[in-house]
């Protein structure tokens, strides 16, 4: 409302009555915001304060109020009184915001709750804080004394009991005829690959359970770590198989859950058009990973 009134004033489209109404509504809104925030600071729990953070991060409303006051003074000087009262209400709200963030900082320090810090704050602390400040959180932490794995006595004892390394002997070259039980490494590798492919296919069919498409996100979260990591690696490493795994660019964060960070993954049974058996190369687009193979 405030920015719209400012724009209308600059375009000579707002009457004196409309501007006066906007000033009154703006003053009342900031007054209510300040009263509500002050009550939160005095009575709310730490969890309630955290839940309100996103409502008091944006300074756009304050900027809009300042721009409106400047435009009103230029266009309607006789509205100086209502404009001044709007400025007073904005000042009270800014004071309440300062008290709010002070309470957040105090409660966060008392609870040792680091979730309220942004990643940039961690980075700034690591780059610019002193060693004493970085070590302060561990002042009350007890550590075991160091126990070196290798001592001087261990080295001396190992030297005394060391034996010269035996010379390596080259095995005899195979003759014209090889034993019947000799394993061909190429055939063995192909058999292992086929077995692994079959195991992956069985796992994918177990995930799909007869369906054409399934969302694996809940299963991964329930599996916990490191089982979820193995499942993701298995789904995304498919080759020459009629399945499609899509990783969303969204990120689910659950600090207290079995898996703290995970992106939704959808598994689909697909039929690739084209020649039978012709593979379709994976398509990587941003954070979305597709493994589509026929």
């Amino acid at each position: 409302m405030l920015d719209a009134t400012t724009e209308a004033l600059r375009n000579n489209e707002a009457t004196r009555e409309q501007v006066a109404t906007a000033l009154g509504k703006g003053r009342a809104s900031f007054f209510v915001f300040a009263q509500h925030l002050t009550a939160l600071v005095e009575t709310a729990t730490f969890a309630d304060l955290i839940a309100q953070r996103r409502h008091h991060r944006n300074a756009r409303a304050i900027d809009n109020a300042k721009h409106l006051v400047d435009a009103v003074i230029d266009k309607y000087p006789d509205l100086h009184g209502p404009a001044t009262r709007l400025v007073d209400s904005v000042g009270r709200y800014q004071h309440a915001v300062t008290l709010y963030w002070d309470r957040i900082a105090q409660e966060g320090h008392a609870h040792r709750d680091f979730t309220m810090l942004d990643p940039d704050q961690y980075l700034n602390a690591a780059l610019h804080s002193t060693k004493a400040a970085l070590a302060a959180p561990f002042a009350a932490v007890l550590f075991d004394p160091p126990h070196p794995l290798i001592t001087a006595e261990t080295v001396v004892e190992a030297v005394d009991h060391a034996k010269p390394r035996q010379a390596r002997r080259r095995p005899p070259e195979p003759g014209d005829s090889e034993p019947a039980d000799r394993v061909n490494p190429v055939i063995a590798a192909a058999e292992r690959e086929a077995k692994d492919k079959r195991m992956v296919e069985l796992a994918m069919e177990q995930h799909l359970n007869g369906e054409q498409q399934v969302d694996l996100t809940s299963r991964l979260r329930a599996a916990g770590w490191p089982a979820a990591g193995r499942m993701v690696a298995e789904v995304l490493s498919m080759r020459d198989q009629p399945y499609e795994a899509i990783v969303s660019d969204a990120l689910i964060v659950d600090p207290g859950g079995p898996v703290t960070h995970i992106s939704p993954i959808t598994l689909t049974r697909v039929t690739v058009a084209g020649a039978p058996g012709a593979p379709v190369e994976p398509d990587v687009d941003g954070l979305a990973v597709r493994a589509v193979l026929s």
Side-chain angles (χ1 to χ4, degrees):
M1 178 189 69
L2 299 179
D3 55 342
T5 305
T6 303
E7 186 66 22
L9 270 174
R10 292 172 179 172
N11 296 331
N12 295 321
E13 297 175 353
T15 64
R16 182 184 181 284
E17 290 73 17
Q18 292 173 335
V19 173
T21 300
L23 290 173
K25 290 183 178 179
R27 181 189 63 80
S29 298
F30 279 105
F31 178 81
V32 171
F33 293 158
Q35 290 294 102
H36 173 67
L37 200 54
T38 302
L40 284 177
V41 172
E42 294 175 352
T43 62
T45 63
F46 181 58
D48 293 335
L49 292 174
I50 292 296
Q52 293 290 325
R53 281 191 301 177
R54 64 185 183 89
H55 299 296
H56 303 286
R57 285 182 178 271
N58 191 356
R60 182 179 177 182
I62 296 176
D63 293 337
N64 291 339
K66 293 180 179 178
H67 294 159
L68 176 59
V69 170
D70 292 339
V72 168
I73 297 302
D74 293 339
K75 184 69 175 179
Y76 297 108
D78 58 313
L79 293 178
H80 182 273
T84 302
R85 287 190 288 273
L86 173 58
V87 172
D88 292 340
S89 293
V90 172
R92 282 194 292 268
Y93 172 69
Q94 289 179 305
H95 178 67
V97 170
T98 301
L99 295 177
Y100 170 79
W101 286 111
D102 288 345
R103 171 83 188 283
I104 284 283
Q106 293 172 1
E107 292 286 344
H109 178 75
H111 289 81
R112 289 184 174 273
D113 186 351
F114 297 102
T115 59
M116 56 174 288
L117 299 178
D118 295 328
D120 288 342
Q121 292 176 293
Y122 282 102
L123 179 60
N124 289 333
L127 293 178
H128 304 295
S129 296
T130 63
K131 292 182 179 180
L134 293 174
F138 300 96
V141 178
L142 298 179
F143 296 92
D144 292 332
H147 296 287
L149 299 178
I150 300 177
T151 62
E153 293 78 6
T154 305
V155 175
V156 173
E157 183 179 356
V159 171
D160 292 340
H161 293 82
K163 295 182 179 180
R165 180 181 299 178
Q166 296 182 353
R168 298 183 58 185
R169 296 181 180 180
R170 177 177 297 179
E173 297 183 359
D176 296 337
S177 59
E178 297 183 354
D181 59 348
R182 182 178 177 85
V183 178
N184 188 319
V186 177
I187 297 178
E191 291 176 348
R192 287 195 300 271
E193 184 179 358
K195 181 180 178 181
D196 293 341
K197 178 180 177 181
R198 178 58 178 166
M199 294 297 294
V200 172
E201 182 178 354
L202 292 175
M204 297 304 103
E205 289 298 331
Q206 183 178 11
H207 289 317
L208 289 169
N209 194 23
E211 301 292 336
Q212 191 69 18
Q213 185 180 75
V214 64
D215 185 357
L216 299 179
T217 308
S218 58
R219 301 184 188 181
L220 293 172
R221 297 180 68 184
W225 189 262
R230 290 194 295 268
M231 290 175 62
V232 172
E234 182 179 69
V235 169
L236 298 183
S237 63
M238 296 183 297
R239 296 192 62 83
D240 301 328
Q241 289 166 315
Y243 305 103
E244 177 184 16
I246 301 177
V247 182
S248 171
D249 57 356
L251 179 63
I252 300 174
V253 179
D254 184 9
V259 179
T260 57
H261 296 73
I262 190 172
S263 294
I265 299 179
T266 303
L267 177 66
T268 307
R269 182 185 290 106
V270 298
T271 301
V272 180
V280 178
E281 292 298 332
D283 173 27
V284 181
D285 183 9
L287 294 178
V289 178
R290 296 176 178 266
V292 186
L293 299 166
S294 60

